[in-house]
Amino acid sequence: MVEIRNPGLMAMALELDLARFRQARGIVRMPAVLEELAETLTRVMAMLHEAADREQAVDLGDEVVRLIEQFRGALRAVGGEPARA
C-alpha cells in the first residue's frame, strides 16, 4: 500500500492523464483494455477528490498503483504525453 497524503494533488495528476487520453483517443484508436482502464481510473480519481474534500489521506493498493503506471506507460506509447526536452 502507498499512502497518499495529498489525494487532491494525485486526483489532479490523474485528471491530466485522463485528459491526455481523451485527446489521444481523438487521434488514434485505443484498445478496449485501455478504455476500461481509463474508466477505472476515473473512479479512482473521484475517490481521491472525495478524500481531498474530507481532508483525509488515502491508502492506494499496489494493484491500483500498477494500473496507474500501466495507463501512463500506454499513453506515452501512443504519444499522449507532452514531449520532454
Side-chain angles (χ1 to χ4, degrees):
M1 291 234 161
V2 176
E3 182 181 14
I4 307 297
R5 293 181 186 253
N6 188 343
L9 184 61
M10 181 70 164
M12 287 189 297
L14 276 175
E15 276 185 84
L16 287 174
D17 291 335
L18 290 165
R20 289 182 186 120
F21 170 77
R22 286 189 297 274
Q23 286 179 332
R25 183 176 58 192
I27 298 168
V28 297
R29 185 173 174 193
M30 294 293 183
V33 172
L34 199 53
E35 294 278 351
E36 292 171 12
L37 189 52
E39 289 176 25
T40 300
L41 294 180
T42 299
R43 290 190 295 275
V44 170
M45 180 189 65
M47 178 208 54
L48 290 168
H49 275 302
E50 288 176 20
D53 291 344
R54 295 181 189 141
E55 298 180 5
Q56 296 175 332
V58 173
D59 288 331
L60 288 183
D62 294 335
E63 182 62 28
V64 175
V65 173
R66 278 192 291 275
L67 289 175
I68 293 169
E69 290 172 355
Q70 177 185 359
F71 186 73
R72 288 177 175 165
L75 278 180
R76 282 191 293 277
V78 297
E81 183 173 67
R84 295 183 183 171

